[in-house]
Amino acid sequence: GLYAGYLADHVNKRRLVLAACALMALACVGVTVTAQLALAFAALTCIEAAVAMQKIALKARMADWLEPGERAKAFSLNYTLVNVAFAGGPLLGAWAFGLHHAAPLWLSAVFALATMQVVSPRVNPPPRPVAEVSPQDTSGPSNFKTTLNDLRNDRQLVLLTLGGVLSSFVFGRFVTGYLSQYLIQTQGVEGAAHIMPAILMTNALGVILLQYPLGRKIAAPHLFRWMLVGVMFYVLGLWGYMHASTVWGWVLATAAFTVGEVITVPTDYLLVDRIAPAHKRGSYYGAQSLSAFGSSLSPVVCGYLLASYPPPIMFWVLIASALACLWFYYQGSRSLAGRVCMAV
């Protein structure tokens, strides 16, 4: 993610997206034609790298095209469509798997190649907004090492990134990560199989129906207030999970948790977007992608807590993480208006 952000600042973003799509298609096919564990691992790693590169390049491309006030709407719409794909993808993949065990990956390669047509030169970009920085600020850093030093020395970026790590620890893989483990331990495999579809459907429908209507309203100068509201919905959802005893209880808790997700995801993006200089925007988005560490650690840490302590302890740790992320977001968003004025 860090290097992809650096590339987004120095390479044509359309070409970067095309390269990511091509790499994704080749890697998906590669997984199906190798029997070597090392090669399969390399192909899966390439898929993840391509996804990170594509996401960052698309974010930077949208930011180049749109005025700051329009970016929340665009990002929320993008996140909505991504979740439509997440909701429909498993169904399509299950159908393809019934035809051939490798068909889902072949289909993924086809979709990756189809994406290349969306960003082809035939698509004319919208009118470019007025430059947000003065001409002398438009030259990017000379090398990757300089970029890393600049990112590391930006205290606000570091604080917002740490807040993002804690936030993604709570919501990043909450269904397939810690809730599935919790349900299997407390309800058994059959009970988990009965409840999980309701949770997945509630989350998918909630994001699809609420992301754009709520996300488009999120705007400066009250970004931290939005984050505060979103985190409180996380806490409400986690408290509901801790006390849920019926399927409807799990559905209501998931609905509250999903509201938190649709608020915090675009708000986190906008907080970093507000402090990112135009010529380093890709690098800042790359740093923001480090929040994925939180979602990667979540299943491991929660699995350990479930194995070592009474199940409710896991939710108290998650609630504490959600509240702790607020401190980092608050510190990172202080003097944000002055920072933006200096950048402009």
Side-chain angles (χ1 to χ4, degrees):
L2 284 171
Y3 192 68
Y6 170 78
L7 289 177
D9 289 333
H10 292 78
V11 180
N12 181 281
K13 296 179 182 63
R14 182 185 64 80
R15 294 178 182 175
L16 196 60
V17 174
L18 291 175
C21 293
L23 177 62
M24 198 182 307
L26 289 173
C28 285
V29 174
V31 174
T32 70
V33 299
T34 181
Q36 300 296 320
L37 178 61
L39 293 177
F41 176 80
L44 291 171
T45 302
C46 286
I47 292 173
E48 292 295 329
V51 169
M53 186 162 61
Q54 183 192 58
K55 285 182 177 179
I56 292 169
L58 284 175
K59 278 185 181 180
R61 192 168 171 84
M62 286 193 294
D64 287 345
W65 285 359
L66 299 172
E67 297 283 359
E70 298 295 320
R71 291 171 193 164
K73 299 177 184 179
F75 183 73
S76 293
L77 182 58
N78 173 264
Y79 192 68
T80 300
L81 295 175
V82 167
N83 278 276
V84 170
F86 273 122
L91 299 176
L92 187 58
W95 169 81
F97 185 79
L99 300 177
H100 191 280
H101 69 275
L105 285 162
W106 294 341
L107 197 59
S108 297
V110 171
F111 280 129
L113 294 175
T115 305
M116 297 176 69
Q117 300 303 311
V118 178
V119 293
S120 68
R122 293 191 298 271
V123 179
N124 294 321
R128 188 180 180 87
V130 178
E132 298 173 5
V133 294
S134 56
Q136 63 268 26
D137 292 330
T138 57
S139 59
S142 58
N143 55 57
F144 183 51
K145 182 179 179 180
T146 303
T147 300
L148 290 180
N149 287 332
D150 291 342
L151 297 176
R152 183 186 61 187
N153 293 328
D154 190 326
R155 182 175 179 273
Q156 278 188 294
L157 176 63
V158 172
L159 289 168
L160 293 175
T161 301
L162 290 173
V165 171
L166 289 172
S167 178
S168 67
F169 179 82
V170 175
F171 88 90
R173 294 182 181 176
F174 77 101
V175 179
T176 58
Y178 58 80
L179 283 187
S180 59
Q181 297 182 68
Y182 176 83
L183 286 170
I184 289 173
Q185 179 167 330
T186 59
Q187 307 290 330
V189 175
E190 292 186 1
H194 179 61
I195 297 172
M196 284 292 290
I199 294 176
L200 288 166
M201 185 63 68
T202 302
N203 179 249
L205 288 176
V207 171
I208 291 170
L209 295 176
L210 297 177
Q211 183 64 68
Y212 184 69
L214 280 178
R216 67 193 299 267
K217 296 181 182 298
I218 298 172
H222 304 302
L223 292 178
F224 176 74
R225 294 182 187 178
W226 279 102
M227 185 61 72
L228 175 63
V229 172
V231 169
M232 289 302 101
F233 273 102
Y234 278 156
V235 172
L236 179 61
L238 291 168
W239 183 87
Y241 288 143
M242 202 182 336
H243 296 88
S245 58
T246 65
V247 174
W248 279 109
W250 285 96
V251 167
L252 291 174
T254 302
F257 196 94
T258 301
V259 173
E261 179 183 354
V262 301
I263 292 175
T264 58
V265 170
T267 305
D268 179 54
Y269 159 74
L270 289 173
L271 282 168
V272 174
D273 179 74
R274 292 276 290 174
I275 67 171
H279 65 289
K280 296 181 183 177
R281 194 173 281 131
S283 298
Y284 274 63
Y285 294 158
Q288 186 183 37
S289 71
L290 293 176
S291 63
F293 277 118
S295 60
S296 299
L297 289 173
S298 180
V300 180
V301 173
C302 290
Y304 168 77
L305 293 173
L306 286 171
S308 306
Y309 302 96
I313 294 296
M314 181 191 75
F315 288 115
W316 286 116
V317 170
L318 290 165
I319 289 173
S321 299
L323 295 176
C325 85
L326 282 176
W327 184 87
F328 288 100
Y329 279 124
Y330 174 72
Q331 295 295 328
S333 61
R334 291 177 66 182
S335 304
L336 187 59
R339 169 70 175 268
V340 173
C341 290
M342 289 176 63
V344 174

